[in-house]
Amino acid sequence: MKKNLYIANLLVAGLMTFTGCTDGFESDNANKAGYTPELQKYVLNLGVMQQGIYFNYDWGRGTDWTFQTIQNLGHDMFAGYFHDMNNSFNDKNSVYALNDGWTGSAWTYTYGYIMTAAQKSEKINQEQKGLLGVTKILKVELMHRIADTYGPIVYTKFGQEEGDNVDSQEAAYRQFFKDLDEGVKLINEYKKANAALEPFAAADILMPAGKRTLSQWVKFANSLRLRLAIRVSMSAPDLARAEVAKAMDATAGGVLESADETVAVSTESGYKNPLGTVNEGWGEVFMGATMESVLVGYNDPRLIKYYSKAEGGDIKDEKGNLIIAERNKIAGTYKGVPQGTGVTVKDENRYRLHSKSTITKQTDAILMTAAEVWFLRAEAALRGFTSENVKDCYEKGITVSCQQWGVNVGDYLTSDATPSDYVDAFEAKYDVKALIKVTPKWDGGASPEEQLERILTQKWIACYPEGYEAWTEQRRTGYPQLFKVFVNNSGGAIDTNIRIRRLPYPSDIQKNNPTQYSALKKALGGEDNGGTRLWWDTGRNF
């Protein structure tokens, strides 16, 4: 039987490359955390996993471009948060002419580097129950993002060199819940036997300062369970209901609730946020047009924290010759970039003076916030999974998000404002009427569908700048309603009105391991392109 399948080969290459990287991590970790070489072996791979979820596994040395292809040129743009207006990029993913090197990056690098560390951490921490529990939780956070990007994945049989090692997305999700069960159980067993000991605190770069405890990891696990339960609420409602009950069980350890409980990769550790490099150093992270429509229309207090003001002006070449004139003055306003115009080199990046993200290299890389959890609770209550008050959870989500970003919620909760139309700075053909009609103010008399739209629109705002989660939830529910692309070069694979649903697998799998590729495609149940819906993407909301 054929051995050394595609992923196995990829892992070998990854491990060879990774040797130098882990040496650097070990040295840094020893300096920062004071671990002895004996203790380092237990936490080393956990550190790699923490950095690698939001991909920057080598403390910011040379991996920013990898992050850009893994997330920023895909998830972040498709979520409506950002657009990279480098003209050499604007004729690819932006117009659904998907670039294989970009769309395959999340798969290639996660399996080649970070999933390897997860497997090693599981093996080395068999007797270290607390650390093994943390590993299980981290692995779920790492791999649900891959499943939500592609669909079927290699999870339960990762590293197997023979036979079919593919899990359907449903099978992977069911195992995610089991791994969260096991992770919490292991942590609780360790805490019971080792009261007041925190074996991971000094190496923990995900939990907030002052809360780097195993109890906080249990809260994160419960919150992650709630996220995944709501994700499957239309495809597996009975499973969703049961997992929501587990997450919200009063004896389970709690979920994230306050603004100071954000789960993020801390830059205090020496980690550099790669989105910040792409933004600050490369000038390639511009505000999305839908974000302008929503935040400006709502007069959202978080707008000033999310984006800078536009500079505006005519676009001229390096000799000062006019290329294209600005049709309305945007300097000092917040101005977004429309996706899918297909505008390339001839116009010399016409949108380069528009609003940019405020994220810097020193901004902690957010993975989950308490605000997101409140919106999850609002949806759980709306679906009848809990007896909580939907309005209270919704308003708490907005309030906690504003607290997280250091702004006053003011009268936002009673605002009847609606999103504004998008007016392109240069050409009227790129103007778009606002698609979203709901207001920030809760309407208890609205239909469940409209209430869901309110919850998801505010959740989308609150998840910023984490495009992975924002794009996934937008696909699951259709909310918020993002502006459509103007040019669709997918060759019919992606419906402009339905928008992109997933990313294709790397072409190397089909070439180097046709058996595995065949199994992945069979489990997907459709064509391996951007138009095929995933398991939890049912095309309905209730």
Side-chain angles (χ1 to χ4, degrees), residues 448-483:
E449 186 72 34
E450 184 178 319
Q451 291 182 347
L452 181 68
E453 182 176 6
R454 272 188 169 81
I455 293 168
L456 267 294
T457 299
Q458 287 296 328
K459 182 180 180 182
W460 175 75
I461 297 172
C463 280
Y464 175 94
E466 219 303 89
Y468 252 96
E469 191 60 24
W471 182 40
T472 296
E473 285 294 85
Q474 198 284 328
R475 286 177 288 153
R476 177 178 70 89
T477 63
Y479 301 127
Q481 297 185 64
L482 305 177
F483 291 144

Side-chain angles (χ1 to χ4, degrees), residues 504-518:
Y505 295 109
S507 61
D508 279 353
I509 302 179
Q510 187 173 4
K511 179 175 63 176
N512 296 331
N513 188 1
T515 300
Q516 184 180 82
Y517 180 76
S518 177

